[in-house]
Amino acid sequence: MTEHETHMRVETEVPEHVSSESLRELLSALAAADWWVVVNGRWNGCTAWAAVNKETPAALNARGHGHQL
């Protein structure tokens, strides 16, 4: 995980062979992000990363501002 000025980013290596359950969990986590990318690896597997803006409605609501839709 890396912190940037405007967002947090999480990156993980995804093996070439992954169970259906693990793939569903990964896709669910990616869907919750503000943006995400999956990049094929050169030899096997891939890399997935997701980013969440620090100023999303959920983050603002946690600090007592804004509303999540």
Side-chain angles (χ1 to χ4, degrees), residues 1-68:
M1 182 166 54
T2 55
E3 184 171 353
H4 299 271
E5 186 175 327
T6 60
H7 63 281
M8 299 289 291
R9 179 179 165 185
V10 177
E11 183 174 320
T12 188
E13 294 295 320
V14 181
E16 183 177 3
H17 301 287
V18 63
S19 71
S20 297
E21 181 179 343
S22 293
L23 185 56
R24 278 192 299 273
E25 290 176 5
L26 174 63
L27 293 174
S28 177
L30 293 175
D34 290 313
W35 70 93
W36 56 271
V37 173
V38 176
V39 180
N40 284 332
R42 290 174 126 182
W43 295 280
N44 60 5
C46 60
T47 301
W49 64 261
V52 177
N53 287 323
K54 290 182 178 179
E55 297 298 325
T56 61
L60 292 172
N61 192 37
R63 291 186 226 136
H65 307 289
H67 301 289
Q68 177 136 4

